[in-house]
């Protein structure tokens, strides 16, 4: 999505999960070279997202994307089960979303269970996703003056 010159920084609060993701992005093999090239350009940073966002200048990224551990785990997501005990399970805060809105030039996106109350609690008004998908994406679009 960001093109060959774009930057993607993935923040992970839990050090073991950050290392697993970092190694996975470097060693994953597949059939699509363009996907592998994109994966290799992702920078994984072990950091608290709120602290990191607070230290960024306003409008410094096009998009801020949150992919927190779902408040209600999807039982069919067996690939996440081994990581769940290692991960930070704290809910996303309104303060973090406000900082993300400040940092994002275009939008803030949050991945969550389709029926989650997190969208409403955190003021994500636009919800997108496939009709039959259990996952949805809440979007806060920035209003450009």
């Amino acid at each position: 999505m960001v093109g060959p010159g774009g930057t993607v920084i993935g923040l992970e609060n839990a050090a073991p999960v950050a290392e697993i993701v970092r190694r996975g992005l470097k060693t994953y093999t597949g059939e699509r070279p363009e996907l592998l090239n994109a994966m290799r350009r992702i920078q994984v940073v072990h950091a608290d997202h709120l602290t990191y966002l607070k230290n960024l200048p306003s409008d410094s990224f096009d998009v801020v994307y949150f992919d927190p551990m779902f408040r209600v785990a999807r039982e069919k997501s067996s690939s996440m089960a081994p990581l769940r005990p290692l991960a930070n399970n704290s809910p996303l805060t309104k303060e973090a979303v406000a900082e993300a809105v400040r940092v994002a030039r275009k939008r803030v996106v949050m991945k969550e269970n389709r029926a989650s109350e997190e969208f409403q609690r955190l003021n994500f008004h636009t919800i997108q996703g496939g009709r039959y998908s259990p996952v949805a994406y809440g979007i806060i679009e920035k209003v450009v003056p």
Side-chain angles (χ1 to χ4, degrees):
M1 294 304 293
V2 300
T7 300
V8 176
I9 298 174
L11 303 178
E12 177 52 55
N13 184 266
V17 177
E19 187 57 29
I20 290 166
V21 171
R22 186 179 295 114
R23 287 183 188 194
L25 289 169
K26 287 182 181 177
T27 62
Y28 179 80
T29 57
E31 301 159 9
R32 296 181 54 201
E34 66 277 6
L35 178 61
L36 294 176
N37 289 334
M39 289 172 64
R40 304 297 189 258
R41 291 193 321 267
I42 297 172
Q43 300 171 40
V44 178
V45 176
H46 169 230
D48 171 70
H49 64 275
L50 179 57
T51 303
Y52 194 91
L53 288 167
K54 283 183 171 184
N55 286 297
L56 290 172
S58 296
D59 299 324
S60 56
F61 280 83
D62 287 337
V63 176
V64 174
Y65 176 83
F66 290 110
D67 187 0
M69 281 291 179
F70 290 170
R71 303 310 310 140
V72 177
R74 289 190 58 237
E75 298 303 321
K76 293 183 180 179
S77 184
S78 60
S79 62
M80 293 302 294
L83 296 178
R84 190 168 268 287
L86 303 172
N88 179 348
N89 291 310
S90 300
L92 194 57
T93 66
K94 290 181 180 183
E95 182 182 14
V97 173
E99 284 297 320
V101 169
R102 182 187 61 77
V103 167
R105 281 189 289 270
K106 296 182 180 180
R107 68 189 56 89
V108 176
V109 179
M110 180 181 67
K111 178 181 174 184
E112 188 44 274
N113 278 328
R114 171 169 293 291
S116 175
E117 294 179 6
E118 291 294 278
F119 294 122
Q120 182 177 2
R121 181 180 74 81
L122 297 169
N123 297 316
F124 284 86
H125 300 292
T126 303
I127 312 301
Q128 294 184 350
R131 181 185 309 177
Y132 301 108
S133 174
V135 175
Y137 300 87
I139 302 168
I140 299 173
E141 294 285 351
K142 287 285 291 262
V143 177
V144 180

